[in-house]
Amino acid sequence: MKRLCLILCLLVTPAFAVQPDEILDDPALETRARDISAGLRCLVCRNESIDDSNATLARDLRLLVRERLLAGDSNTEVVDYVVGRYGEYVLLKPQTGGANLILWLAGPVMLLLGGGIGFVYVRRRAGGQGRAEAALSDEEQARLREILKD
């Protein structure tokens, strides 16, 4: 029974991240605010949205989002404002264009490059052993067999 209560408490705690005094009176604006804040990263908590975080900075960001919405900004304008103020790190899903495209492609490119280098190395090494044995004359091969018998 205690475990069940503990599990239920742990599942419900993220729901309390948005405080009742933060909730907007207009349900449409509140829905927009929740959508925006679900895509913004808490700068204190790693990989947690500001909507789910209990950190003070996350609360400030939630209030900032709601203030911008009340001022009449669109969702894109609010996100651009927050990104302009805190940097692109604040986005939970970073953009895949521009300079970030290099970062997105660097991993797969390095993997393919490393695999190619490894493949070439193994092929050359395997081919080199066969050539060394073939380069021996009949006398050298006989001498080698004689040495290996001892």
Side-chain angles (χ1 to χ4, degrees):
M1 187 64 176
K2 289 181 184 180
R3 287 185 184 181
L4 180 62
C5 288
L6 178 64
I7 291 170
L8 288 175
C9 288
L10 290 175
L11 291 175
V12 174
T13 47
F16 295 123
V18 177
Q19 303 298 320
D21 61 335
E22 296 176 20
I23 297 175
L24 297 172
D25 294 332
D26 185 6
L29 280 179
E30 181 60 28
T31 303
R32 285 177 57 201
R34 292 285 180 114
D35 289 341
I36 293 169
S37 61
L40 297 176
R41 178 191 322 268
C42 175
L43 299 171
V44 176
C45 313
R46 303 268 173 150
N47 292 331
E48 190 173 1
S49 72
I50 62 171
D51 209 22
D52 298 332
S53 176
N54 287 322
T56 307
L57 182 60
R59 176 181 164 81
D60 293 342
L61 284 171
R62 287 191 302 264
L63 291 173
L64 176 68
V65 167
R66 284 163 174 75
E67 286 173 11
R68 300 300 299 180
L69 287 174
L70 287 173
D73 288 355
S74 68
N75 291 7
T76 308
E77 290 172 336
V78 173
V79 171
D80 290 344
Y81 178 80
V82 174
V83 168
R85 192 168 180 185
Y86 293 98
E88 199 169 322
Y89 178 75
V90 79
L91 296 174
L92 274 174
K93 294 178 184 173
Q95 300 169 354
T96 56
N100 284 346
L101 189 59
I102 295 169
L103 295 175
W104 281 96
L105 295 176
V109 167
M110 292 297 177
L111 179 68
L112 291 174
L113 186 65
I117 291 171
F119 180 75
V120 168
Y121 175 76
V122 169
R123 295 285 290 183
R124 284 188 181 172
R125 186 169 180 194
Q129 290 176 351
R131 286 188 211 132
E133 292 176 4
L136 296 178
S137 66
D138 292 336
E139 290 178 14
E140 292 171 332
Q141 287 180 359
R143 175 76 176 129
L144 180 62
R145 277 189 231 113
E146 192 177 304
I147 292 172
L148 290 175
K149 285 182 184 177
D150 292 337

